[in-house]
Coordinates of all heavy atoms in Angstrom, one line a residue:
M1 N 131.1 -63.3 169.9 CA 131.6 -63.8 168.7 C 132.8 -62.9 168.2 O 132.8 -61.7 168.4 CB 130.5 -63.8 167.6 CG 131.0 -64.6 166.4 SD 129.5 -65.2 165.5 CE 130.0 -65.0 163.9
G2 N 133.8 -63.5 167.6 CA 135.0 -62.8 167.2 C 134.8 -62.0 165.9 O 133.7 -61.9 165.4
D3 N 135.9 -61.5 165.5 CA 135.9 -60.6 164.3 C 136.0 -61.4 163.0 O 135.9 -60.9 161.9 CB 137.0 -59.6 164.3 CG 136.8 -58.6 165.5 OD1 135.7 -58.4 165.8 OD2 137.8 -58.1 166.0
Y4 N 136.2 -62.7 163.1 CA 136.5 -63.5 161.9 C 135.5 -64.7 161.7 O 135.1 -65.3 162.7 CB 137.9 -64.1 161.9 CG 138.9 -63.1 162.1 CD1 139.6 -62.9 163.3 CD2 139.3 -62.2 161.0 CE1 140.5 -61.9 163.4 CE2 140.2 -61.2 161.1 CZ 140.8 -61.1 162.3 OH 141.8 -60.1 162.5
L5 N 135.0 -64.9 160.5 CA 134.1 -66.0 160.2 C 134.7 -67.3 160.5 O 134.1 -68.2 161.1 CB 133.6 -65.9 158.8 CG 132.6 -66.9 158.3 CD1 131.3 -66.8 159.2 CD2 132.2 -66.7 156.9
F6 N 136.0 -67.5 160.1 CA 136.8 -68.7 160.4 C 138.0 -68.3 161.1 O 139.1 -68.1 160.6 CB 137.1 -69.4 159.1 CG 136.0 -69.7 158.2 CD1 135.6 -69.0 157.1 CD2 135.2 -70.8 158.6 CE1 134.5 -69.4 156.3 CE2 134.1 -71.2 157.9 CZ 133.7 -70.5 156.7
P7 N 137.9 -68.2 162.5 CA 139.1 -67.8 163.2 C 140.1 -68.9 163.3 O 139.8 -70.1 163.3 CB 138.5 -67.5 164.6 CG 137.3 -68.3 164.7 CD 136.7 -68.4 163.3
G8 N 141.4 -68.5 163.5 CA 142.4 -69.5 163.8 C 142.4 -70.0 165.2 O 141.5 -69.7 166.0
R9 N 143.3 -70.8 165.5 CA 143.4 -71.4 166.9 C 143.3 -70.4 168.0 O 142.8 -70.7 169.0 CB 144.7 -72.2 167.0 CG 144.9 -73.0 168.3 CD 146.1 -73.8 168.3 NE 146.1 -74.8 167.3 CZ 147.1 -75.5 166.8 NH1 148.3 -75.3 167.4 NH2 147.0 -76.4 165.9
Y10 N 143.9 -69.2 167.8 CA 144.0 -68.3 168.9 C 143.0 -67.1 168.7 O 143.2 -66.0 169.3 CB 145.4 -67.7 169.0 CG 146.4 -68.9 169.3 CD1 147.3 -69.3 168.3 CD2 146.4 -69.6 170.5 CE1 148.1 -70.4 168.6 CE2 147.2 -70.6 170.8 CZ 148.1 -71.0 169.8 OH 148.9 -72.1 170.0
G11 N 142.1 -67.3 167.8 CA 141.1 -66.2 167.6 C 141.4 -65.2 166.5 O 140.6 -64.4 166.2
D12 N 142.6 -65.3 166.0 CA 143.0 -64.4 164.9 C 142.6 -65.0 163.6 O 142.1 -66.0 163.5 CB 144.5 -64.2 164.9 CG 145.3 -65.5 165.0 OD1 144.7 -66.5 165.2 OD2 146.6 -65.4 164.8
A13 N 142.8 -64.2 162.5 CA 142.5 -64.7 161.2 C 143.3 -65.8 160.7 O 144.5 -65.9 161.0 CB 142.6 -63.5 160.2
L14 N 142.7 -66.8 160.0 CA 143.5 -67.8 159.3 C 144.3 -67.2 158.2 O 143.7 -66.4 157.4 CB 142.6 -68.9 158.8 CG 141.9 -69.9 159.7 CD1 141.0 -70.8 159.0 CD2 143.0 -70.7 160.4
N15 N 145.5 -67.5 158.1 CA 146.3 -66.9 156.9 C 146.1 -67.9 155.7 O 145.6 -69.0 155.8 CB 147.7 -66.7 157.3 CG 148.5 -67.9 157.7 OD1 148.3 -69.0 157.1 ND2 149.3 -67.8 158.7
T16 N 146.6 -67.4 154.6 CA 146.4 -68.1 153.3 C 147.1 -69.5 153.4 O 146.4 -70.5 152.9 CB 147.1 -67.3 152.2 OG1 146.5 -66.0 152.2 CG2 146.8 -67.9 150.9
S17 N 148.2 -69.6 154.0 CA 148.9 -70.9 154.0 C 148.2 -71.9 154.9 O 148.1 -73.1 154.6 CB 150.4 -70.8 154.4 OG 150.5 -70.2 155.6
S18 N 147.6 -71.4 156.0 CA 146.8 -72.3 156.8 C 145.5 -72.8 156.1 O 145.2 -74.0 156.3 CB 146.4 -71.5 158.1 OG 147.5 -71.2 158.9
I19 N 144.9 -71.9 155.4 CA 143.7 -72.4 154.7 C 144.1 -73.4 153.6 O 143.4 -74.4 153.4 CB 143.0 -71.1 154.0 CG1 142.4 -70.3 155.2 CG2 141.9 -71.6 153.0 CD1 141.9 -68.9 154.7
R20 N 145.2 -73.1 152.9 CA 145.6 -74.0 151.9 C 146.0 -75.4 152.5 O 145.6 -76.5 151.9 CB 146.9 -73.5 151.2 CG 147.5 -74.3 150.1 CD 146.7 -74.2 148.8 NE 146.1 -75.5 148.5 CZ 145.4 -75.8 147.5 NH1 145.0 -74.8 146.7 NH2 144.9 -77.0 147.3
R21 N 146.6 -75.5 153.6 CA 146.9 -76.7 154.3 C 145.7 -77.5 154.7 O 145.6 -78.7 154.5 CB 147.8 -76.5 155.5 CG 149.3 -76.3 155.2 CD 150.2 -76.4 156.4 NE 149.8 -75.6 157.5 CZ 150.2 -74.3 157.6 NH1 151.0 -73.8 156.7 NH2 149.8 -73.6 158.6
L22 N 144.7 -76.8 155.2 CA 143.4 -77.4 155.6 C 142.7 -78.0 154.3 O 142.2 -79.1 154.4 CB 142.5 -76.4 156.3 CG 142.8 -76.1 157.7 CD1 142.0 -74.9 158.2 CD2 142.6 -77.3 158.6
V23 N 142.7 -77.2 153.3 CA 142.0 -77.7 152.1 C 142.7 -78.9 151.5 O 142.1 -79.9 151.1 CB 141.9 -76.6 151.0 CG1 141.4 -77.1 149.7 CG2 140.9 -75.5 151.5
D24 N 144.1 -78.8 151.5 CA 144.8 -80.0 151.0 C 144.6 -81.2 151.8 O 144.5 -82.3 151.3 CB 146.3 -79.6 151.0 CG 146.7 -78.7 149.9 OD1 145.9 -78.4 149.0 OD2 147.8 -78.1 150.0
K25 N 144.6 -81.0 153.1 CA 144.4 -82.2 154.0 C 143.0 -82.9 153.7 O 142.9 -84.1 153.6 CB 144.4 -81.7 155.5 CG 144.0 -82.7 156.5 CD 143.9 -82.2 157.9 CE 143.4 -83.1 158.9 NZ 143.3 -82.6 160.2
Y26 N 141.9 -82.1 153.6 CA 140.6 -82.7 153.4 C 140.4 -83.1 152.0 O 139.6 -84.1 151.8 CB 139.5 -81.7 153.9 CG 139.5 -81.6 155.4 CD1 140.0 -80.5 156.1 CD2 139.1 -82.7 156.2 CE1 140.0 -80.5 157.4 CE2 139.2 -82.7 157.5 CZ 139.6 -81.6 158.2 OH 139.7 -81.5 159.6
E27 N 141.2 -82.6 151.1 CA 141.1 -83.1 149.7 C 141.7 -84.5 149.7 O 141.1 -85.4 149.1 CB 141.9 -82.2 148.8 CG 142.0 -82.7 147.3 CD 142.9 -81.9 146.4 OE1 143.9 -81.4 146.9 OE2 142.5 -81.8 145.2
R28 N 142.9 -84.7 150.4 CA 143.5 -86.0 150.4 C 142.6 -87.0 151.2 O 142.4 -88.1 150.7 CB 144.8 -86.0 151.2 CG 146.0 -85.7 150.4 CD 147.3 -85.9 151.2 NE 147.3 -85.4 152.6 CZ 147.5 -84.1 152.9 NH1 147.7 -83.2 152.0 NH2 147.5 -83.8 154.2
L29 N 142.0 -86.6 152.3 CA 141.1 -87.5 153.1 C 139.9 -87.9 152.3 O 139.4 -89.0 152.5 CB 140.8 -86.9 154.4 CG 141.9 -86.7 155.4 CD1 141.5 -85.9 156.6 CD2 142.4 -88.1 155.9
S30 N 139.3 -87.0 151.6 CA 138.1 -87.3 150.8 C 138.3 -88.0 149.6 O 137.3 -88.7 149.1 CB 137.4 -85.9 150.5 OG 138.1 -85.2 149.5
G31 N 139.5 -87.9 149.0 CA 139.7 -88.6 147.7 C 139.2 -87.8 146.5 O 139.2 -88.3 145.4
V32 N 138.7 -86.6 146.8 CA 138.1 -85.8 145.7 C 139.3 -84.9 145.2 O 139.9 -84.2 145.9 CB 137.0 -84.8 146.2 CG1 136.5 -83.9 145.2 CG2 135.9 -85.7 146.8
A33 N 139.5 -85.0 143.9 CA 140.6 -84.2 143.3 C 140.1 -82.9 142.8 O 139.0 -82.7 142.5 CB 141.2 -85.0 142.1
G34 N 141.1 -82.0 142.7 CA 140.8 -80.6 142.1 C 140.2 -79.6 143.0 O 139.6 -78.6 142.6
V35 N 140.3 -79.9 144.3 CA 139.7 -79.0 145.3 C 140.8 -77.9 145.6 O 142.0 -78.2 145.8 CB 139.3 -79.7 146.6 CG1 138.7 -78.7 147.6 CG2 138.3 -80.8 146.3
S36 N 140.4 -76.7 145.7 CA 141.3 -75.6 146.1 C 140.4 -74.5 146.8 O 139.2 -74.6 146.8 CB 141.9 -74.9 144.8 OG 140.9 -74.2 144.1
P37 N 141.1 -73.6 147.5 CA 140.3 -72.6 148.2 C 139.5 -71.8 147.2 O 138.3 -71.4 147.5 CB 141.4 -71.7 148.8 CG 142.5 -72.6 149.1 CD 142.5 -73.6 147.9
H38 N 140.0 -71.5 146.0 CA 139.2 -70.8 145.0 C 138.0 -71.6 144.6 O 136.9 -71.0 144.5 CB 140.1 -70.5 143.8 CG 139.3 -69.8 142.7 ND1 139.0 -68.5 142.7 CD2 138.8 -70.3 141.5 CE1 138.3 -68.2 141.7 NE2 138.2 -69.3 140.9
V39 N 138.1 -72.9 144.3 CA 137.0 -73.7 143.9 C 135.9 -73.7 145.0 O 134.7 -73.6 144.8 CB 137.5 -75.2 143.6 CG1 136.3 -76.1 143.5 CG2 138.3 -75.2 142.3
L40 N 136.4 -73.9 146.3 CA 135.4 -73.9 147.4 C 134.7 -72.5 147.5 O 133.5 -72.5 147.8 CB 136.1 -74.2 148.7 CG 136.6 -75.6 148.8 CD1 137.4 -75.8 150.1 CD2 135.5 -76.6 148.7
R41 N 135.5 -71.4 147.4 CA 134.9 -70.1 147.5 C 133.8 -69.9 146.4 O 132.7 -69.5 146.6 CB 136.0 -69.0 147.3 CG 135.5 -67.6 147.3 CD 136.7 -66.7 147.0 NE 136.3 -65.4 146.7 CZ 136.0 -64.4 147.5 NH1 136.1 -64.6 148.8 NH2 135.7 -63.2 147.1
H42 N 134.2 -70.3 145.1 CA 133.3 -70.1 144.0 C 132.0 -71.0 144.2 O 130.9 -70.5 144.0 CB 134.0 -70.5 142.7 CG 133.2 -70.3 141.5 ND1 133.1 -69.0 140.9 CD2 132.4 -71.1 140.7 CE1 132.3 -69.1 139.9 NE2 131.9 -70.3 139.7
A43 N 132.2 -72.2 144.7 CA 131.0 -73.1 144.9 C 130.1 -72.6 146.0 O 128.9 -72.6 145.9 CB 131.5 -74.5 145.3
T44 N 130.7 -72.0 147.0 CA 129.9 -71.5 148.1 C 129.1 -70.3 147.7 O 127.9 -70.1 148.0 CB 130.8 -71.1 149.3 OG1 131.5 -72.3 149.8 CG2 130.1 -70.5 150.5
L45 N 129.8 -69.3 147.0 CA 129.1 -68.1 146.5 C 128.0 -68.5 145.5 O 126.9 -67.9 145.5 CB 130.1 -67.1 145.9 CG 131.1 -66.6 147.0 CD1 132.1 -65.7 146.3 CD2 130.4 -65.9 148.1
T46 N 128.3 -69.4 144.6 CA 127.3 -69.9 143.7 C 126.1 -70.5 144.4 O 124.9 -70.2 144.0 CB 127.9 -70.9 142.7 OG1 129.0 -70.3 142.0 CG2 126.9 -71.4 141.7
E47 N 126.3 -71.3 145.4 CA 125.2 -71.9 146.2 C 124.4 -70.8 146.8 O 123.2 -70.9 146.8 CB 125.9 -72.8 147.2 CG 124.9 -73.5 148.1 CD 124.1 -74.6 147.5 OE1 124.5 -75.1 146.4 OE2 123.1 -75.1 148.1
L48 N 125.0 -69.8 147.4 CA 124.3 -68.8 148.1 C 123.4 -68.0 147.1 O 122.2 -67.7 147.4 CB 125.2 -67.8 148.8 CG 125.9 -68.2 150.0 CD1 127.0 -67.2 150.5 CD2 124.9 -68.4 151.1
V49 N 123.9 -67.7 145.9 CA 123.2 -66.9 145.0 C 122.1 -67.7 144.2 O 120.9 -67.3 144.1 CB 124.1 -66.2 144.0 CG1 123.4 -65.6 142.8 CG2 125.0 -65.2 144.7
R50 N 122.5 -68.8 143.7 CA 121.7 -69.6 142.8 C 120.7 -70.5 143.4 O 119.5 -70.6 143.0 CB 122.5 -70.3 141.8 CG 123.3 -69.4 140.9 CD 124.3 -70.2 140.0 NE 123.6 -71.0 139.0 CZ 123.2 -70.6 137.8 NH1 123.3 -69.3 137.5 NH2 122.6 -71.4 137.0
R51 N 121.1 -71.2 144.5 CA 120.2 -72.2 145.1 C 119.5 -71.7 146.3 O 118.4 -72.0 146.6 CB 121.0 -73.5 145.3 CG 121.4 -74.2 144.1 CD 122.1 -75.5 144.3 NE 122.7 -76.0 143.1 CZ 124.0 -75.7 142.7 NH1 124.7 -75.0 143.5 NH2 124.4 -76.2 141.6
K52 N 120.3 -70.9 147.1 CA 119.7 -70.4 148.3 C 119.0 -69.0 148.1 O 118.4 -68.5 149.1 CB 120.8 -70.2 149.4 CG 121.5 -71.5 149.8 CD 120.5 -72.5 150.4 CE 121.2 -73.8 150.8 NZ 120.4 -74.8 151.3
K53 N 119.1 -68.5 146.9 CA 118.5 -67.2 146.6 C 118.8 -66.1 147.5 O 117.9 -65.2 147.8 CB 116.9 -67.4 146.5 CG 116.5 -68.6 145.6 CD 116.8 -68.3 144.2 CE 116.2 -69.5 143.3 NZ 116.9 -69.7 142.1
Q54 N 120.0 -66.0 148.0 CA 120.4 -64.9 148.9 C 120.6 -63.6 148.0 O 120.9 -63.6 146.9 CB 121.7 -65.2 149.6 CG 121.6 -66.3 150.6 CD 120.7 -66.0 151.7 OE1 120.7 -64.9 152.3 NE2 119.8 -66.9 152.1
D55 N 120.3 -62.5 148.7 CA 120.4 -61.2 148.0 C 121.9 -61.0 147.6 O 122.8 -61.3 148.3 CB 120.1 -60.1 149.1 CG 120.2 -58.7 148.5 OD1 119.3 -58.4 147.7 OD2 121.1 -58.0 148.9
L56 N 122.0 -60.5 146.3 CA 123.3 -60.3 145.7 C 124.2 -59.3 146.6 O 125.4 -59.6 146.7 CB 123.2 -59.7 144.3 CG 124.3 -59.9 143.4 CD1 124.7 -61.4 143.2 CD2 124.0 -59.3 142.0
A57 N 123.6 -58.3 147.2 CA 124.4 -57.4 148.0 C 124.9 -58.1 149.2 O 126.1 -57.9 149.7 CB 123.5 -56.2 148.4
L58 N 124.2 -59.0 149.8 CA 124.6 -59.8 151.0 C 125.8 -60.7 150.6 O 126.8 -60.8 151.3 CB 123.5 -60.6 151.6 CG 123.8 -61.6 152.7 CD1 124.2 -60.8 153.9 CD2 122.7 -62.5 153.0
V59 N 125.6 -61.4 149.5 CA 126.7 -62.3 149.0 C 127.9 -61.5 148.7 O 129.1 -61.9 149.0 CB 126.2 -63.1 147.8 CG1 127.3 -64.0 147.2 CG2 125.0 -64.0 148.2
A60 N 127.8 -60.3 148.1 CA 128.9 -59.5 147.8 C 129.7 -59.1 149.1 O 130.9 -59.1 149.2 CB 128.5 -58.2 147.1
A61 N 128.9 -58.8 150.2 CA 129.5 -58.5 151.4 C 130.3 -59.7 152.0 O 131.4 -59.6 152.5 CB 128.5 -58.0 152.4
V62 N 129.7 -60.9 151.9 CA 130.3 -62.1 152.4 C 131.6 -62.3 151.6 O 132.6 -62.7 152.2 CB 129.4 -63.3 152.2 CG1 130.1 -64.6 152.4 CG2 128.2 -63.2 153.2
A63 N 131.6 -62.1 150.3 CA 132.7 -62.3 149.5 C 133.8 -61.2 149.6 O 134.9 -61.4 149.2 CB 132.3 -62.4 148.0
G64 N 133.4 -60.1 150.1 CA 134.4 -59.0 150.2 C 134.5 -58.2 148.9 O 135.5 -57.5 148.7
H65 N 133.5 -58.3 148.1 CA 133.5 -57.6 146.8 C 133.0 -56.2 147.0 O 132.0 -56.0 147.6 CB 132.6 -58.3 145.8 CG 133.0 -59.7 145.4 ND1 132.1 -60.6 144.8 CD2 134.2 -60.3 145.4 CE1 132.8 -61.7 144.5 NE2 134.0 -61.5 144.9
A66 N 133.7 -55.2 146.4 CA 133.4 -53.8 146.5 C 132.2 -53.5 145.5 O 131.5 -52.6 145.8 CB 134.6 -53.0 146.3
K67 N 132.2 -54.3 144.4 CA 131.2 -54.0 143.4 C 130.3 -55.2 143.2 O 130.7 -56.3 143.1 CB 131.9 -53.6 142.1 CG 132.8 -52.4 142.1 CD 133.5 -52.2 140.8 CE 134.4 -51.0 140.9 NZ 135.1 -50.7 139.7
L68 N 129.0 -54.9 143.0 CA 128.0 -56.0 142.8 C 128.3 -56.7 141.4 O 128.0 -57.9 141.3 CB 126.6 -55.4 142.7 CG 126.0 -55.1 144.1 CD1 124.6 -54.6 143.9 CD2 126.0 -56.3 145.0
A69 N 128.9 -55.9 140.5 CA 129.2 -56.5 139.2 C 130.2 -57.7 139.3 O 130.1 -58.7 138.6 CB 129.8 -55.5 138.2
T70 N 131.0 -57.6 140.3 CA 132.0 -58.7 140.6 C 131.2 -60.0 141.0 O 131.5 -61.1 140.6 CB 133.0 -58.3 141.6 OG1 133.6 -57.1 141.2 CG2 134.1 -59.4 141.8
T71 N 130.2 -59.8 141.8 CA 129.4 -60.9 142.4 C 128.4 -61.4 141.4 O 128.0 -62.6 141.4 CB 128.7 -60.4 143.7 OG1 129.6 -59.7 144.5 CG2 128.1 -61.6 144.4
A72 N 128.1 -60.6 140.4 CA 127.0 -60.9 139.4 C 127.4 -62.1 138.6 O 126.6 -62.8 138.0 CB 126.7 -59.7 138.5
I73 N 128.7 -62.5 138.5 CA 129.1 -63.6 137.7 C 128.5 -64.9 138.3 O 128.3 -65.9 137.5 CB 130.6 -63.8 137.7 CG1 131.2 -64.1 139.1 CG2 131.3 -62.6 137.0 CD1 132.7 -64.5 139.1
Y74 N 128.1 -64.9 139.5 CA 127.5 -66.1 140.1 C 126.0 -66.3 139.7 O 125.4 -67.3 140.0 CB 127.6 -66.1 141.6 CG 129.1 -66.0 142.0 CD1 129.7 -64.9 142.5 CD2 129.9 -67.2 141.9 CE1 131.0 -64.8 142.8 CE2 131.2 -67.1 142.2 CZ 131.8 -66.0 142.7 OH 133.1 -65.9 143.0
V75 N 125.4 -65.3 139.1 CA 124.0 -65.5 138.6 C 123.9 -65.6 137.1 O 122.8 -65.7 136.6 CB 123.1 -64.3 139.1 CG1 123.1 -64.3 140.6 CG2 123.6 -63.0 138.6
Q76 N 125.0 -65.6 136.4 CA 124.9 -65.8 134.9 C 124.4 -67.1 134.6 O 124.7 -68.1 135.2 CB 126.3 -65.5 134.3 CG 126.7 -64.1 134.4 CD 128.1 -63.9 133.8 OE1 128.8 -64.8 133.5 NE2 128.5 -62.6 133.7
A77 N 123.5 -67.2 133.6 CA 123.0 -68.4 133.1 C 124.1 -69.3 132.5 O 125.0 -68.8 131.8 CB 121.9 -68.2 132.1
N78 N 124.0 -70.6 132.8 CA 124.9 -71.6 132.2 C 124.1 -72.5 131.2 O 122.9 -72.3 131.1 CB 125.6 -72.4 133.2 CG 124.7 -73.2 134.1 OD1 123.6 -73.6 133.7 ND2 125.2 -73.4 135.4
M79 N 124.7 -73.4 130.6 CA 124.0 -74.3 129.6 C 122.9 -75.1 130.3 O 121.8 -75.2 129.7 CB 125.0 -75.2 128.9 CG 124.4 -76.0 127.8 SD 123.6 -75.1 126.5 CE 125.0 -74.4 125.7
Q80 N 123.1 -75.5 131.5 CA 122.1 -76.3 132.2 C 120.8 -75.4 132.4 O 119.7 -75.9 132.3 CB 122.7 -76.8 133.5 CG 121.7 -77.7 134.3 CD 122.4 -78.2 135.6 OE1 123.5 -77.9 135.9 NE2 121.7 -79.1 136.2
D81 N 121.1 -74.1 132.8 CA 119.9 -73.2 133.0 C 119.2 -73.0 131.7 O 117.9 -73.0 131.6 CB 120.4 -71.9 133.4 CG 121.1 -71.9 134.8 OD1 120.7 -72.7 135.6 OD2 122.1 -71.1 135.0
L82 N 119.9 -72.9 130.6 CA 119.2 -72.7 129.3 C 118.5 -73.9 128.8 O 117.3 -73.8 128.3 CB 120.3 -72.3 128.2 CG 121.1 -71.0 128.5 CD1 122.2 -70.9 127.4 CD2 120.2 -69.8 128.5
E83 N 119.0 -75.1 129.0 CA 118.3 -76.3 128.7 C 117.1 -76.5 129.5 O 116.0 -76.9 129.0 CB 119.3 -77.5 128.9 CG 120.4 -77.6 127.9 CD 121.4 -78.7 128.2 OE1 121.3 -79.3 129.2 OE2 122.3 -78.8 127.4
A84 N 117.1 -76.2 130.8 CA 116.0 -76.2 131.7 C 114.9 -75.3 131.3 O 113.7 -75.6 131.3 CB 116.4 -76.0 133.1
A85 N 115.3 -74.1 130.8 CA 114.3 -73.1 130.4 C 113.6 -73.6 129.1 O 112.4 -73.5 129.0 CB 115.0 -71.8 130.1
V86 N 114.4 -74.2 128.2 CA 113.7 -74.7 126.9 C 112.8 -75.9 127.3 O 111.7 -76.0 126.8 CB 114.8 -75.1 125.9 CG1 114.2 -75.9 124.8 CG2 115.6 -73.9 125.4
D87 N 113.3 -76.8 128.2 CA 112.5 -77.9 128.6 C 111.2 -77.5 129.2 O 110.1 -78.1 129.0 CB 113.3 -78.8 129.6 CG 114.4 -79.6 128.9 OD1 114.4 -79.7 127.7 OD2 115.2 -80.1 129.7
S88 N 111.2 -76.4 130.0 CA 110.0 -75.9 130.6 C 109.0 -75.4 129.6 O 107.8 -75.5 129.8 CB 110.3 -74.8 131.6 OG 110.6 -73.6 131.0
L89 N 109.4 -75.0 128.4 CA 108.5 -74.6 127.3 C 107.8 -75.8 126.7 O 106.7 -75.6 126.2 CB 109.3 -73.8 126.2 CG 109.9 -72.5 126.6 CD1 110.8 -72.0 125.5 CD2 108.8 -71.5 126.9
M90 N 108.4 -76.9 126.8 CA 107.9 -78.1 126.2 C 106.9 -78.8 127.1 O 106.2 -79.7 126.7 CB 109.0 -79.1 125.8 CG 110.1 -78.5 124.9 SD 109.3 -77.9 123.4 CE 110.6 -77.3 122.5
E91 N 106.8 -78.4 128.4 CA 105.9 -79.1 129.3 C 104.5 -78.6 129.0 O 104.2 -77.6 128.5 CB 106.3 -78.6 130.8 CG 107.6 -79.2 131.2 CD 108.0 -78.7 132.6 OE1 107.3 -77.9 133.2 OE2 109.1 -79.1 133.0
D92 N 103.6 -79.4 129.4 CA 102.1 -79.2 129.3 C 101.5 -80.1 128.2 O 101.7 -80.6 127.3 CB 101.7 -77.8 129.0 CG 101.9 -76.9 130.2 OD1 101.8 -77.4 131.3 OD2 102.1 -75.7 130.0

């Protein structure tokens, strides 16, 4: 296996403009608006932390974050989490 998670055509790293072109292409083909490399990165990291329950240190390494505090934004409670917590109190 190579040195890159997403290698380019010749095994080297994909550069920023190549990634942007790929995202733009699939945004057009899918008809989904508002997709960007940043949105995809954020969604992927959130999925790993919140739904897949991956270790924060592992997700930080995947993201290339030097500090866990940077990655911790993906585990902060949102309004949906708070509503679910209150709803769970009402069960029984």
Side-chain angles (χ1 to χ4, degrees):
M1 191 157 141
D3 293 333
Y4 304 104
L5 184 58
F6 300 106
R9 182 178 298 165
Y10 303 107
D12 52 347
L14 285 176
N15 62 37
T16 305
S17 61
S18 294
I19 293 169
R20 179 78 242 180
R21 279 193 306 275
L22 283 169
V23 170
D24 288 346
K25 173 185 173 181
Y26 289 107
E27 179 185 33
R28 268 191 320 280
L29 291 172
S30 71
V32 176
V35 179
S36 70
H38 177 77
V39 167
L40 293 174
R41 174 184 168 87
H42 187 81
T44 299
L45 296 175
T46 300
E47 178 75 12
L48 286 172
V49 171
R50 297 173 67 83
R51 293 185 191 90
K52 300 296 183 183
K53 309 292 187 207
Q54 292 296 318
D55 180 71
L56 200 57
L58 174 69
V59 176
V62 168
H65 294 161
K67 297 179 182 178
L68 285 180
T70 305
T71 312
I73 63 168
Y74 300 105
V75 295
Q76 291 178 348
N78 59 30
M79 186 55 74
Q80 187 177 4
D81 298 325
L82 299 175
E83 289 171 358
V86 171
D87 288 345
S88 73
L89 292 172
M90 303 303 177
E91 293 175 359
D92 291 331

